[in-house]
Amino acid sequence: MSPGADPPDTTRLALRGRIVTLDDADTVIDDGVLYLAGQRVEAVRPAAEPPPAGFEEVTPVRTRGSVYPGLIELHNHLPYDVLPLWAVPKKYGNRSQWGGSANPAYHGLVTGPMTVLGQDPRLMPAVVRYVEAKALVNGTTTTQGIALFSNAGARRMYRGIVRNVEQTDTPDLPEAASRIADVEAADAARFLARLQQPHRLLLHLAEGVDDAARAHFQALQFEPGTWAVTENLVGIHCTGLTAEDFGVFARHGGSMVWSPLSNLLLYGRTADIAAAKEAGVTIGLGSDWSVSGSKGLLGELKAARLASTAAGSVFTDRELVAMATRDAARILRWDGALGSLRPGMRADLLVVAGESGDPYTSLVDARDSDIRLVVIDGTPRYGTAALLRALAPGATLEQVPGLPGDRLVQLDDGAMDPVLAGLTLTEATDRLTEALADLPRLAARAASAPVTASPDGEVQWQLALDEIRPTGEELRPRLPALTASGPGRPTGPSITTAEGPPPPQLPVVLDGLTATGDRTFLDTLAAELNLPKEYGTSLSRLLT
């Protein structure tokens, strides 16, 4: 069953290993057992203690690893994660300078491929299947960024195997939003009213390092001393903020999503994390997208540690792990249900190989090939063949080329969305590989005869793609800057498409599921021009 409302607790599992709970006391049980009843954690106990009632006949399965809460990602443009890493040619000052018509290569890199994939009734489901599995095999159990539209005009957020921040269907996981209506984005009073509703807003904020990027934050002061910032504003990136700005942001309750690799690749600099920490800003992590970011949170943890070290060892490994678990849950107001391993919590977890050494360093150091098990809502979804067969007997398991070792995925689901029913990860991979290699022909066909209906005449769903065409919603506030004479021009990046026919589309290579299986990704990363000295090489080594 997809993450959501609780079915009856019919399955009881017990996992033995080092249990890293990420509870408020940072409890670690070196030899413990995690007891799962259906979709919930029943108990966490030392292995020497007797099991809880109802588990007397359940034999704990040895994981031979360390068990952590599942990783919670707070920022991604998920459909774009089929695209390969961009060899960024120069440093930019803000988002306007590299997106849209400002970058002649943007159409070939992003807009062209995604327009083809996002509208094709065969390829769109393949994108959804592939990018969700990519998050899963990198240890992520919650992410954000997939939305679907139908040709009837209705909007539906994707509900899949991996949790979706924007649609949860359960009261203990209040839904957040990552888009707001155009009118709310541009009008300060309406924006503040939106912030005062009982929902978190995860919005891009101050994307870049120049004055224009900072002005995007400063415009939140729409009257002298009055800021459109509340505890519901979660600022994504915040690279343009100064120490003074972070102080204001924290005093008004704002929190932040940090995407260090993407920031460094595009701007040569990331957020002032020392100032953010000093101000008391709660921070989560996001890998952004594969065009300029990590393949998932396991990679972004390494990028974050390198950035933290370069800034003066701002964060400990324990603090970094908390950003992807406990603190991310707190930002979403999910900390009563996710983010730590405690009785009553939802059973989302990650197991990585090894039971010795510092437990937090072990996770930051872990490579994708070290992942032994990923469980979402009590259902084993990815892991070694031995663990999946022991924990999910009778389940349909799939072995996929490109995944480490003997890893298997379980993607079948009784409540599966019909757009994905029956689509294996292998088939999705094959469809996307062929389509991206054939992009010149497919792009020409789409331009001359856009797809408007599915082949069988049923309702056609298509991907809702960020910033390719106007949708009536924004990913960021666009409040006018406050000047001595009153409100000035709207702030925020201008994302425009070039006039006239697009340049010829070239083939694209599908981005690999994992870093260890993607030599092209590692080589491109090591050669990136904007990264600090040795950063790309060091990160590439950490990933392999």
Side-chain angles (χ1 to χ4, degrees):
M1 177 172 289
S2 298
D6 290 343
D9 290 345
T10 58
T11 303
R12 294 183 182 273
L13 302 175
L15 301 173
R16 183 172 179 177
R18 179 168 64 174
I19 314 297
V20 187
T21 67
L22 270 298
D23 64 7
D24 289 338
D26 288 319
T27 303
V28 177
I29 305 175
D30 288 331
D31 183 13
V33 180
L34 182 70
Y35 296 94
L36 308 181
Q39 284 63 48
R40 301 280 175 170
V41 175
E42 178 73 16
V44 186
R45 299 184 178 180
E49 292 186 3
F55 284 82
E56 293 85 357
E57 304 301 319
V58 178
T59 301
V61 174
R62 284 188 174 272
T63 64
R64 303 189 187 282
S66 297
V67 186
Y68 302 86
L71 303 184
I72 301 172
E73 175 163 59
L74 296 186
H75 177 50
N76 203 317
H77 300 272
L78 213 57
Y80 297 82
D81 284 352
V82 299
L83 302 177
L85 183 66
W86 178 27
V88 185
K90 65 178 183 178
K91 291 181 183 179
Y92 299 97
N94 63 68
R95 175 68 173 83
S96 297
Q97 295 174 358
W98 59 268
S101 60
N103 174 14
Y106 193 74
H107 180 272
L109 288 166
V110 176
T111 308
M114 294 312 302
T115 299
V116 170
L117 299 179
Q119 296 182 5
D120 190 299
R122 273 191 82 251
L123 299 177
M124 181 275 292
V127 173
V128 175
R129 172 63 82 208
Y130 190 83
V131 299
E132 184 181 37
K134 188 177 182 184
L136 177 68
V137 303
N138 284 281
T140 300
T141 55
T142 296
T143 187
Q144 63 88 208
I146 279 192
L148 306 178
F149 286 91
S150 79
N151 59 3
R155 177 175 178 142
R156 180 178 69 184
M157 302 298 290
Y158 174 65
R159 288 168 285 183
I161 302 301
V162 174
R163 293 190 189 279
N164 190 325
V165 165
E166 292 101 332
Q167 183 154 347
T168 64
D169 300 320
T170 180
D172 60 348
L173 302 174
E175 293 167 356
S178 58
R179 297 170 174 83
I180 53 175
D182 287 344
V183 65
E184 294 173 329
D187 183 275
R190 290 176 183 265
F191 181 63
L192 185 55
R194 184 71 171 82
L195 285 175
Q196 291 168 341
Q197 295 179 16
H199 299 284
R200 294 292 196 249
L201 290 178
L202 284 73
L203 299 175
H204 293 65
L205 185 62
E207 306 158 77
V209 294
D210 60 11
D211 290 343
R214 187 182 179 216
H216 188 226
F217 169 77
Q218 293 173 307
L220 297 179
Q221 183 180 209
F222 61 95
E223 293 178 0
T226 304
W227 287 83
V229 180
T230 74
E231 64 179 7
N232 284 330
L233 181 58
V234 184
I236 298 169
H237 298 310
C238 298
T239 44
L241 272 62
T242 65
E244 178 185 357
D245 298 333
F246 274 119
V248 171
F249 195 51
R251 286 196 298 274
H252 287 80
S255 52
M256 166 186 161
V257 183
W258 186 30
S259 298
L261 180 55
S262 186
N263 299 158
L264 291 168
L265 283 170
L266 295 168
Y267 309 116
R269 202 171 87 200
T270 188
D272 186 346
I273 50 174
K277 182 179 180 180
E278 177 66 22
V281 175
T282 304
I283 302 173
L285 286 177
S287 54
D288 198 353
W289 63 341
S290 62
V291 177
S292 65
S294 301
K295 290 183 182 290
L297 280 185
L298 201 60
E300 199 66 18
L301 280 168
K302 297 165 183 54
R305 181 208 272 157
L306 288 172
S308 169
T309 300
S313 298
V314 177
F315 300 115
T316 65
D317 287 344
R318 180 172 60 183
E319 289 171 322
L320 292 172
V321 171
M323 288 180 192
T325 53
R326 180 176 61 204
D327 291 347
R330 285 174 177 166
I331 288 172
L332 295 172
R333 292 181 296 134
W334 288 10
D335 46 312
L338 283 176
S340 59
L341 299 175
R342 296 180 282 121
M345 302 292 276
R346 289 186 171 272
D348 287 14
L349 60 94
L350 165 70
V351 180
V352 301
E355 301 172 86
S356 61
D358 181 90
Y360 308 103
T361 300
S362 294
L363 182 57
V364 179
D365 281 344
R367 294 156 172 81
D368 53 61
S369 56
D370 294 321
I371 295 177
R372 295 186 55 79
L373 181 67
V374 180
V375 174
I376 301 177
D377 241 15
T379 300
R381 290 295 182 188
Y382 174 68
T384 65
L387 284 176
L388 280 191
R389 287 170 179 150
L391 295 169
T396 301
L397 305 177
E398 182 184 0
Q399 188 165 21
V400 180
L403 293 182
D406 62 347
R407 303 309 193 266
L408 303 175
V409 293
Q410 183 198 171
L411 301 178
D412 276 356
D413 186 86
M416 184 178 295
D417 192 303
V419 300
L420 295 185
L423 179 62
T424 67
L425 178 55
T426 300
E427 184 178 0
T429 302
D430 290 343
R431 286 187 195 179
L432 293 172
T433 300
E434 293 170 5
L436 290 172
D438 196 25
L439 265 181
R441 184 183 67 84
L442 295 178
R445 185 184 70 181
S448 61
V451 177
T452 57
S454 60
D456 55 10
E458 297 179 355
V459 172
Q460 177 201 341
W461 293 96
Q462 66 183 48
L463 286 168
L465 299 171
D466 300 330
E467 301 181 319
I468 282 185
R469 60 178 58 86
T471 63
E473 293 185 300
E474 291 282 358
L475 301 180
R476 55 186 64 80
R478 292 195 180 277
L479 305 187
L482 184 64
T483 68
S485 58
R489 299 177 60 185
T491 57
S494 174
I495 311 300
T496 58
T497 56
E499 297 182 1
Q505 180 66 57
L506 298 176
V508 170
V509 176
L510 177 66
D511 193 56
L513 288 168
T514 63
T516 54
D518 191 345
R519 190 70 249 174
T520 299
F521 167 78
L522 295 169
D523 290 344
T524 302
L525 179 62
E528 289 283 2
L529 298 176
N530 296 338
L531 297 177
K533 185 178 181 181
E534 302 300 325
Y535 185 101
T537 302
S538 297
L539 182 55
S540 182
R541 289 196 194 105
L542 288 171
L543 292 168
T544 55

